[in-house]
Amino acid sequence: MTVLVINSGSSSLKYAVVKPDSGKFLADGIVEQIGSAQMPDHDAALRAAFDELAAQGLHLDTLGLVAVGHRVVHGGKAFYRPTLVDEGLIAELDKWAPLAPLHNPPAVQGIEVARKLLPDLPHIAVFDTAFFHNLPAAAATYAIDHDLAERWHIRRYGFHGTSHQYVSQQAAAFLDRPYESVNQIVLHLGNGASASAIAGGRPVDTSMGLTPMEGLVMGTRSGDIDPGILMYLYRAAGMSVADIDTMLNRNSGVYGVGGENDFRKLRERIESGDETSQLAYDVYIHRLRKYVGGYLAVLGRTDVISFTAGVGENDPGVRRDAMAGLTGLGIKIDDALNAERSSEVRRISAPDSPVTVLVVPTNEELAIAQACAALV
Ligand code: AMP
């Protein structure tokens, strides 16, 4: 059994051919610069992906494909289970597009192109918001005008849900404990970043909100800011809504403060004495620590804290600084374990640390493939 997983963004299309049972990847890749002269649209991108697979000897008609899984960022209020794609679903996703203008329209384009090229396979949408659909009302509700929030479907939806779910399941398995018995904090630190608090298998809070802009400081997104800044920029600086949107999504975060969003390069700049890079890093770590402390209070106690995604899996300095001086909260990192490199789930907390701290490589493609396999 094999599943083709497609993650279609505005300028890139990622794909993977996955065996959901064994977790084996037969191939994976990315087609970039969609919208350029060489790669005009998603149709061309998917054909290029298929050509690349064929060049590797992988022919879609002989792979035993049972489904095509599509990552869709925003399921709105209506969708949280993996859902078979039909015209009705596409119309619904179009309806929810204003909630995720950067993400959902390219996902729908990817779905439409893939359905055209692979018409005989079931196509399944897996939603990034799904894991958090049942957040407690106290965590999901914004303290704004109730009727307005209802009318415009404004609530905290949460994102990176496939990753938070996969990583928390891996963490419970690593501890050899039933998922429902473990309290967890998951820190998904990639270019986008989010935190979640999971009480006995149920997500009880997450840092991203109506959109993936809320919460932690990210590569290029601000995370939490005073909403008053938006009105101030609009009124005093004469910035348009589009200007502010671009500023918050693309010119903020670690990049906005320090001019660099790749943590490898940011670290080099810090080591060469660059003060703005240091400030960007300090702001990033400060926000992360606030969320860890906040989620410890939300949960009452946690068994495990897991780091995942590009920064969380690969940057021991971020893990060290985020967890430094927290022995009073039961968190003690072992520096030697933290410095080790591995692609496996691994413990980085000291043996006598009451809270276990792990690095858990995320694998959203595998999780999507498994969700698809379960449905078909
Ligand atoms: P993701 O969105 O999960 O793919 O994460 C991408 C980010 O991970 C990049 O922008 C880098 O900041 C970070 N990253 C990737 N590899 C490393 C590494 N070896 N050390 C530190 N940061 C890394």
Side-chain angles (χ1 to χ4, degrees):
M1 198 202 278
T2 312
V3 177
L4 172 65
V5 178
I6 295 177
N7 180 354
S8 175
S10 57
S11 67
S12 72
L13 184 147
K14 291 188 205 153
Y15 60 93
V17 181
V18 185
K19 295 250 176 223
D21 295 333
S22 65
K24 192 165 175 245
F25 278 50
L26 301 183
D28 60 342
I30 179 165
V31 182
E32 291 179 289
Q33 294 186 328
I34 299 176
S36 68
Q38 301 90 323
M39 194 58 65
D41 53 24
H42 288 79
D43 185 280
L46 193 58
R47 286 177 198 274
F50 290 174
D51 288 346
E52 177 55 34
L53 291 173
Q56 296 176 33
L58 297 172
H59 297 281
L60 295 174
D61 41 356
T62 57
L63 274 177
L65 281 181
V66 294
V68 184
H70 296 269
R71 176 179 184 237
V72 180
V73 166
H74 214 311
K77 277 190 179 163
F79 298 104
Y80 51 89
R81 293 200 176 82
T83 306
L84 200 62
V85 176
D86 58 16
E87 295 307 324
L89 178 72
I90 290 180
E92 280 290 318
L93 290 179
D94 281 338
K95 203 173 92 186
W96 291 99
L99 281 177
L102 297 179
H103 294 103
N104 271 27
V108 169
Q109 279 170 326
I111 290 174
E112 288 185 321
V113 166
R115 285 178 87 210
K116 197 176 72 188
L117 296 183
L118 297 169
D120 298 328
L121 285 171
H123 290 252
I124 295 163
V126 178
F127 299 97
D128 226 26
T129 45
F131 185 53
F132 300 115
H133 83 276
N134 211 10
L135 279 184
T141 306
Y142 288 106
I144 61 170
D145 180 307
H146 179 78
D147 295 339
L148 197 69
E150 280 288 305
R151 175 152 176 236
W152 291 97
H153 313 292
I154 295 170
R155 50 158 280 179
R156 182 172 288 107
Y157 289 92
F159 299 86
H160 293 146
T162 306
S163 178
H164 284 275
Q165 182 170 27
Y166 177 82
V167 167
S168 57
Q169 287 168 346
Q170 295 285 109
F174 184 85
L175 298 179
D176 201 16
R177 288 183 47 184
Y179 188 59
E180 295 71 26
S181 75
V182 187
N183 277 13
Q184 314 203 25
I185 295 173
V186 176
L187 304 171
H188 177 112
L189 310 177
N191 205 22
S194 60
S196 66
I198 301 164
R202 180 187 176 195
V204 291
D205 208 346
T206 192
S207 59
M208 284 178 167
L210 173 77
T211 75
M213 289 168 75
E214 191 181 349
L216 299 176
V217 175
M218 312 185 204
T220 64
R221 280 174 246 156
S222 62
D224 298 337
I225 59 165
D226 178 352
I229 294 172
L230 312 188
M231 279 78 84
Y232 178 65
L233 288 174
Y234 179 75
R235 293 197 195 104
M239 286 173 72
S240 68
V241 171
D243 293 339
I244 296 171
D245 195 355
T246 303
M247 192 276 288
L248 291 177
N249 269 307
R250 299 194 203 281
N251 295 329
S252 295
V254 176
Y255 173 78
V257 180
E260 175 58 59
N261 61 314
D262 186 315
F263 273 69
R264 289 160 288 198
K265 295 187 191 143
L266 190 74
R267 180 86 51 203
E268 282 170 17
R269 290 166 66 146
I270 291 171
E271 279 163 9
S272 70
D274 182 50
E275 285 179 14
T276 55
S277 298
Q278 181 70 57
L279 177 62
Y281 183 77
D282 293 346
V283 172
Y284 179 91
I285 295 290
H286 181 76
R287 180 82 49 85
L288 188 54
R289 290 168 65 86
K290 280 215 299 201
Y291 268 89
V292 170
Y295 285 178
L296 275 170
V298 168
L299 291 167
R301 55 153 201 96
T302 193
D303 299 291
V304 56
I305 298 174
S306 297
F307 285 86
T308 193
V311 179
E313 292 170 31
N314 297 303
D315 194 325
V318 164
R319 299 193 296 255
R320 177 198 62 219
D321 295 336
M323 302 278 99
L326 299 184
T327 46
L329 299 175
I331 300 166
K332 196 166 146 198
I333 295 288
D334 180 305
D335 288 333
L337 292 177
N338 184 38
E340 276 175 21
R341 297 202 144 269
S342 159
S343 56
E344 305 288 314
V345 183
R346 59 197 185 276
R347 182 192 302 265
I348 58 168
S349 47
D352 60 342
S353 176
V355 174
T356 302
V357 183
L358 302 177
V359 177
V360 181
T362 193
N363 195 335
E364 289 163 281
E365 292 81 10
L366 175 59
I368 291 172
Q370 288 172 339
C372 293
L375 191 68
V376 298

